[in-house]
């Protein structure tokens, strides 16, 4: 494990502020858990050390999951019950959905 839960939660706040803008509420972050080998689906199926951050979505009474790599503390993707989106940094250094 390269990062602590506290470090990942601080990073999650930055990412979510960028993604959720005016809808961001720090109180909706419920915690983070670490998996040594999380299956990451995409162009190729691979396993990475990964953090899963649980975010409560009170308006829709559901949960959102933010996946952050333990290798570099950068977001991999965000998943809700309706959609999974990759996350990248734009040229301004702001996190956006791909």
């Amino acid at each position: 494990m390269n990062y602590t839960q506290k470090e990942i939660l601080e990073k999650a706040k930055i990412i979510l502020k960028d993604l959720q803008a005016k809808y961001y509420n720090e109180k909706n972050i419920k915690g983070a858990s670490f998996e040594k080998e999380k299956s990451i689906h995409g162009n190729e199926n691979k396993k990475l050390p990964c953090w899963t951050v649980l975010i409560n979505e009170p308006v829709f009474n559901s949960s959102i999951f933010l996946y952050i790599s333990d290798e570099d503390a950068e977001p991999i993707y965000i998943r809700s019950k309706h959609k999974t989106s990759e996350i990248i940094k734009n040229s301004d250094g702001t996190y956006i959905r791909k």
Side-chain angles (χ1 to χ4, degrees), residues 1-3 8 33-52 66-77 86-87:
M1 187 179 336
N2 294 321
Y3 294 90
I8 292 299
S33 62
F34 176 74
E35 262 186 81
K36 192 173 185 177
E37 289 190 343
K38 172 78 176 160
S39 291
I40 303 298
H41 304 284
N43 293 339
E44 57 192 59
N45 207 6
K46 56 184 174 181
K47 293 185 178 190
L48 297 172
C50 183
W51 288 89
T52 303
L66 172 62
Y67 298 92
I68 301 175
S69 170
D70 187 57
E71 293 174 346
D72 58 8
E74 287 298 316
I76 301 168
Y77 58 89
E86 286 184 55
I87 301 169

Side-chain angles (χ1 to χ4, degrees), residues 11-58:
K11 182 69 173 210
K13 291 174 189 176
I14 294 166
I15 297 163
L16 291 169
K17 282 178 188 175
D18 285 352
L19 296 179
Q20 296 179 332
K22 66 181 180 180
Y23 301 107
Y24 170 75
N25 185 341
E26 186 176 324
K27 292 178 184 177
N28 292 340
I29 299 172
K30 297 302 175 190
S33 62
F34 176 74
E35 262 186 81
K36 192 173 185 177
E37 289 190 343
K38 172 78 176 160
S39 291
I40 303 298
H41 304 284
N43 293 339
E44 57 192 59
N45 207 6
K46 56 184 174 181
K47 293 185 178 190
L48 297 172
C50 183
W51 288 89
T52 303
V53 179
L54 174 62
I55 302 111
N56 182 35
E57 183 58 63

